[in-house]
Every structure is written in structure tokens, then in C-alpha cells.
Amino acid sequence: MHKRNIFVGILCASLVSGSGCSAITSNSNTSTNQQEEYSAILPYESSDTRVKHVGIIASEDVRIQIEDGLMDLSKQHFSPSEVGYKTHTFLDYDELDATDGSRGLLGTLRDDNPNGLNPSTNDEFDTGNGKVKGATILVDIYELDWYAKDDLKGISLGLVVNDRVGDKNTKIKKSKMREYLKVTSTKLVNYMRSRFNEINDNIPIYVATYELNGSEAADDTGGYIYSGYFKGNNQDYTALDEKWYRVPSTSLTSKDSTTADQFTSFQDAMKDVLPDNTYVIGSAEYEGDTLTKMTIEITAHGKTAGEMLAVSQSAQKNLSKFKKRTCEYTVRIMNNDTVYCMMKRAANSTEVQSVTSM
């Protein structure tokens, strides 16, 4: 999947308003497609579903992984050079809401909610590891709408599902999850086509599913596992194998000891830059056995500009410890609770783009 490139101007704007911007930029060897990023349709209109998303998933990192990952996957069907995006033009809060017996899509299927996408509370869902009554599988839906000027060109939907259901936290087998997702994706696409006049049968709809990891002992947060592409009467389903791992973790060490060792080396190089300890954690995205993206967060406790500059320069230098070139590396340096610096090394490049708030 193509990874998004954060340009220096965007990075600078995202930092503290009114602060200066110093950058270390360079030419990247990445392809044009890898550098392409979707443009928001301006003026940007926030949807009330943002409240729903935050209420369901507390982790900002996971919410970003879901929507950012949906954008990346969508590039195989909707070109960033041809369309821009809006969010939740159609599926607003009320369309999704299932609290207090509401009749939203996230609710259960019943007589007064025929569009509910979760199994009826009276039905037993076959997980492959046993049948569970009242299983809540689908917990959220993300929506990206692709426009060329005022014309709708397509829609991408991100289904967020639990991997375990019921009081006993029963794991859903992959085959049973796919059966549920085929039915659910088709039902959702048909609902949108019949519910909204703007969405006719010729508007392509891409549906990808992000599976959360519900294990309390898990070192991974989940990832995209399945997708379907709907256009006219055609349906094309694809199995995906994406997963995000916490770094460092025993699961990452077991999966990819080389990358785990390189992270430890980077971590060791950073912790003693300042008299106060500097902490380093991260997340790593894998597609199958291939590392595709690593995000690193460095928390320092600098007292002066000189100290923080030393931290950022050390981080930039020590990124060379990561030898895999097909992976995109993003680093965020925090000084106490303030973002001080962000940097990125694009896939297939050895150069680092960096911007500080100084």
C-alpha cells in the first residue's frame, strides 16, 4: 500500500502557531505514486461522527491507523491526482448511532431496525470456536467520499470489527469473519445505494475491514484483514494481511528480530543524549512479513533550545540504524508535552526530511 508523505510546509503548519520553522530537506527517491496524497475538499467540513469515533476507540493512534490506512488502500481504486476527499457526507452520527436502542447501522438486526449490521440478540453467531448469542462484531464505520469538483466519483468505507465476542471473549475464526463481512459489506452497499440519491449503481464503493485485537495481553493493535470493491453488479473481494505491532514488544521480536534489534540500538543511542532520560516507543506496520511503516515517538525533557536541537540531530543521525529501505519511518519528538520536531524518511530513500518548532 502506498504511504503518505508529509511535506515540510504541512509539518510546519501543524506545529505551534507562530513558531519558527527550520527544515532539513532533500530529494527523495520515492515514486510519484508514493508521494501522492489526497487533498481535502475545502472549506473542510467536519462531521459529527468524529464524536462517535472518539467515543468508541479511545486511542488516537488506532483511529489514525484506521483512517490513514483506508486512504492508503483506496489509492488502488481512486487516484489522488484525480479526486479529493470529504468525510461522512452520508453516514452521519444518526445513521450510525446504536446507543439506547437507536436504529442505526451499528445496532442489532431486529424488526424495528432492519438495517442493523450486527446479529440479532436472539441469534447465535457461529465464531468457529463456538456459538455466541448477542455478538457485537461491528463497532464503527469510517467513510471517505471521493469528489472531482462537485461530482461524486466513489466512496471508501472502513468497517471496524471486534476479533472476539461474548462474555467469554470468544475468538472469531478467519473463515467465519469473512462470511460475516461478505454479507455485511453487501448489505451496507445496497443500503447506501437505496438510501441516498447521489449514490447510484455506477458509483464505485470500496469496503475495507480493520480488525481490532481484543486480547489484553496483545502486543499488536490490529489491522486491515479484508476488502471488497463494488461497482454496478460486480463484487471483488480480497484478503488483506496487515497488522500494527507495539515497539518494543515480544511479539515484534518474535516476528522480526532484526528490526527489533535495530530499534533497541536506536533506543539506546537516544536515551543518554540528555542528563534526563529520553524515552523512545513506537509502532510498526506489517503487510504479511513485510515491514511497511514505522512510527517512533521520542519524549525528552530538555531545558534549553540547544538540548532539544541535540536530541533532534541525534535522532536524525541514528535513523541510519534502520536498514530496511522499503519502509517509511516517521519520528515525532516531544519535549515534555509539546511537539518539538517531526521528521520522515520515505520508503526507498536514505534522506530525512525534518522540521522543528524553533
Side-chain angles (χ1 to χ4, degrees):
M1 111 183 26
H2 301 312
K3 298 301 169 190
R4 300 167 63 192
N5 189 29
I6 302 178
F7 294 101
V8 170
I10 297 174
L11 283 168
C12 186
S14 71
L15 296 175
V16 180
S17 176
S19 64
C21 178
S22 63
I24 304 168
T25 60
S26 59
N27 293 326
S28 173
N29 298 322
T30 55
S31 68
T32 301
N33 286 338
Q34 287 174 313
Q35 293 181 10
E36 281 187 317
E37 183 174 3
Y38 287 113
S39 298
I41 303 296
L42 301 177
Y44 184 77
E45 297 181 8
S46 293
S47 168
D48 59 3
T49 54
R50 65 203 296 266
V51 179
K52 172 65 70 176
H53 296 327
V54 172
I56 292 172
I57 298 176
S59 171
E60 180 181 354
D61 287 341
V62 175
R63 296 197 305 270
I64 289 174
Q65 288 167 10
I66 292 168
E67 193 167 51
D68 187 65
L70 183 60
M71 284 190 174
D72 287 338
L73 288 166
S74 297
K75 289 179 182 178
Q76 59 192 306
H77 300 291
F78 310 106
S79 171
S81 64
E82 296 176 359
V83 296
Y85 74 91
K86 298 181 182 181
T87 62
H88 285 280
T89 303
F90 305 102
L91 300 181
D92 59 15
Y93 187 99
D94 289 337
E95 289 283 341
L96 299 180
D97 191 33
T99 57
D100 300 324
S102 296
R103 293 179 291 175
L105 293 168
L106 298 178
T108 57
L109 177 64
R110 56 187 189 273
D111 290 342
D112 63 345
N113 190 25
N115 299 312
L117 298 177
N118 275 302
S120 167
T121 55
N122 296 319
D123 290 341
E124 291 184 326
F125 177 77
D126 186 0
T127 66
N129 289 310
K131 294 182 179 181
V132 175
K133 219 172 192 180
T136 299
I137 306 169
L138 181 66
V139 295
D140 205 357
I141 301 175
Y142 284 68
E143 176 191 341
L144 297 170
D145 308 297
W146 310 111
Y147 281 87
K149 294 184 178 179
D150 295 328
D151 297 327
L152 179 65
K153 296 298 184 181
I155 298 171
S156 291
L157 301 171
L159 307 184
V160 184
V161 298
N162 288 319
D163 70 335
R164 292 168 170 80
V165 292
D167 295 337
K168 296 182 179 180
N169 217 24
T170 304
K171 173 76 173 176
I172 303 174
K173 281 192 174 180
K174 188 178 297 184
S175 59
K176 296 300 182 181
M177 179 65 83
R178 288 177 181 174
E179 289 176 9
Y180 165 79
L181 292 175
K182 276 191 177 183
V183 173
T184 301
S185 298
T186 302
K187 183 176 179 179
L188 178 57
V189 168
N190 289 339
Y191 171 80
M192 296 189 72
R193 287 173 174 173
S194 62
R195 174 77 172 84
F196 304 103
N197 293 333
E198 194 175 355
I199 307 175
N200 59 53
D201 289 354
N202 292 320
I203 297 295
I205 300 179
Y206 178 68
V207 185
T209 300
Y210 188 104
E211 184 180 63
L212 300 168
N213 191 332
S215 170
E216 295 181 358
D219 287 329
D220 67 89
T221 56
Y224 278 96
I225 60 167
Y226 201 62
S227 69
Y229 183 69
F230 302 79
K231 188 172 183 181
N233 294 322
N234 296 322
Q235 304 175 11
D236 183 23
Y237 297 96
T238 303
L240 305 174
D241 186 13
E242 176 194 286
K243 190 170 289 187
W244 281 89
Y245 291 87
R246 294 185 179 90
V247 184
S249 66
T250 55
S251 293
L252 178 66
T253 300
S254 177
K255 182 177 184 64
D256 185 352
S257 60
T258 299
T259 296
D261 289 344
Q262 290 171 0
F263 181 85
T264 299
S265 180
F266 179 88
Q267 191 178 44
D268 290 343
M270 295 301 304
K271 68 181 181 182
D272 295 326
V273 174
L274 301 181
D276 299 318
N277 281 344
T278 298
Y279 299 95
V280 184
I281 58 173
S283 299
E285 180 194 49
Y286 283 81
E287 293 176 14
D289 293 326
T290 302
L291 176 64
T292 55
K293 188 173 186 178
M294 180 177 286
T295 61
I296 299 171
E297 181 167 306
I298 300 172
T299 301
H301 301 284
K303 303 298 190 292
T304 66
E307 288 186 347
M308 289 311 301
L309 186 59
V311 172
S312 64
Q313 290 177 348
S314 180
Q316 181 180 343
K317 174 185 176 182
N318 283 293
L319 274 177
S320 62
K321 294 182 181 294
F322 296 102
K323 306 302 182 183
K324 293 184 179 179
R325 303 302 183 206
T326 56
C327 173
E328 174 190 278
Y329 299 87
T330 303
V331 180
R332 179 172 64 176
I333 300 176
M334 305 289 295
N335 188 41
N336 299 311
D337 295 325
T338 302
V339 178
Y340 169 77
C341 179
M342 295 181 71
M343 60 184 65
K344 182 180 290 286
R345 193 179 88 187
N348 303 313
S349 174
T350 59
E351 306 296 338
V352 179
Q353 292 182 324
S354 174
V355 60
T356 73
S357 59
M358 290 180 60

